[in-house]
Amino acid sequence: MYIGRVKGNVVATIKHPFLEGRKLMLVARLDLDGKETGYYDIAIDDVQAGVGDTVLIIDEGNGARQILRGSNAPVRAVIAGIVDQVMLGSS
Amino acid sequence: MYIGRVKGNVVATIKHPFLEGRKLMLVARLDLDGKETGYYDIAIDDVQAGVGDTVLIIDEGNGARQILRGSNAPVRAVIAGIVDQVMLGSS
Amino acid sequence: MYIGRVKGNVVATIKHPFLEGRKLMLVARLDLDGKETGYYDIAIDDVQAGVGDTVLIIDEGNGARQILRGSNAPVRAVIAGIVDQVMLGSS
Amino acid sequence: MYIGRVKGNVVATIKHPFLEGRKLMLVARLDLDGKETGYYDIAIDDVQAGVGDTVLIIDEGNGARQILRGSNAPVRAVIAGIVDQVMLGSS
Amino acid sequence: MYIGRVKGNVVATIKHPFLEGRKLMLVARLDLDGKETGYYDIAIDDVQAGVGDTVLIIDEGNGARQILRGSNAPVRAVIAGIVDQVMLGSS
């Protein structure tokens, strides 16, 4: 899992029924200082995230399928939550 | 998943029956600005993509097998759709 | 598996029941000299680790699910243990 | 999947029965210009490839196990075919 | 799979029964010239490797679990063999 920032979305013509009608979000991976790293994923949104939101990305297929409750979902990354706070140096 | 651009294809002598007769596309990974990153995948085409097309790549084995409807397909990446538009800064 | 250092944690609004109430730890990957590499994971904590602890990270979904005893856990990384000593040059 | 060049092989003492007697090939990953990238895999050979051959590598465990017809094969990469031609800029 | 060199081991307090009593080896990934790349894994040892040994690493969870004969082993990397010889430029 990593922290990302929603940058936009992709409109695509896709045949697979699971992906039809799903919003494909562009999410930039952030480093521990909150800066974009240059890496991104296209993630399925499970939490109604919007552009600019800081989000929690699950970047593993089987875990992503659990979040989406679809054992046959053709996905690798999903927005699993909205990040409210990143707390460094304290637990 | 990531956004890629179709660069060409590979002609190979392969023994596995699932891959025989399938087109093996060379797809360059693009960054969020639409530039090639130097990374590429060989992806099975599920949507009749052509050279120069901007495409959606699913780069996880189990997800790719879902797209191809082949639970025993020896693949890791598949072209799952044609990208119509990349929308940055809006949702 | 790799050696990490706990840097803090993430507070997020997540819908999936498995993750509710779990602490999401920010863990920096260390190199063999014990320095941070710039890479990090968000890992579920299985051992009550605190900030500054050196920990053992399992960074594979199925292995992480074994540690958490949850076959449907949407995770990729877990803190599996506290590192007591790194011994280089001896076995 | 990616395009690789066979560089040699590894002779190792291994206990697992599936790997005994299998040739472990060293395969350098090539970029789209056919140059070596510095990355390599040790791949099981399914097609009698020789040093210098340009080959198709499947670099995902479940896909590799399909190629080798061994559901319990402890492998991540396999040489799935011999590349006859890389066609860039045409489809 | 890749070629690694055993650098040492990690002593950790771990709760999962599969990992208790197992030696956790620090293994540096080598390039094709036999030099360390800066990348390492913590791997479970299946072959009684010692510091300085050149070893064969299987770096995929399901494959590693096959080597260890433990379908529920929380591991991603295992030392599967001792490398006797790396042969470049010949097959």
Side-chain angles (χ1 to χ4, degrees), chain B residues 7-16 23-24 26 39-42 44 50-51 61-62 65 72 74-76, chain D residues 1-3 29-30 46 56 58-60 62-63 66-67 80-91:
Chain B
K7 301 296 289 181
N9 68 296
V10 175
V11 181
T13 304
I14 302 177
K15 290 196 307 188
H16 193 279
K23 205 155 191 186
L24 302 168
L26 288 163
Y39 181 87
Y40 75 96
D41 266 310
I42 298 176
I44 305 292
V51 168
N62 293 331
R65 280 183 278 275
N72 64 344
V75 300
R76 194 177 62 79
Chain D
M1 287 179 277
Y2 65 85
I3 303 172
R29 184 180 172 116
L30 303 184
D46 192 52
L56 182 71
I58 294 190
D59 56 335
E60 192 248 2
N62 293 331
Q66 287 294 337
I67 291 284
I82 303 284
V83 172
D84 299 311
Q85 202 173 357
V86 176
M87 302 177 77
L88 290 174
S90 68
S91 65

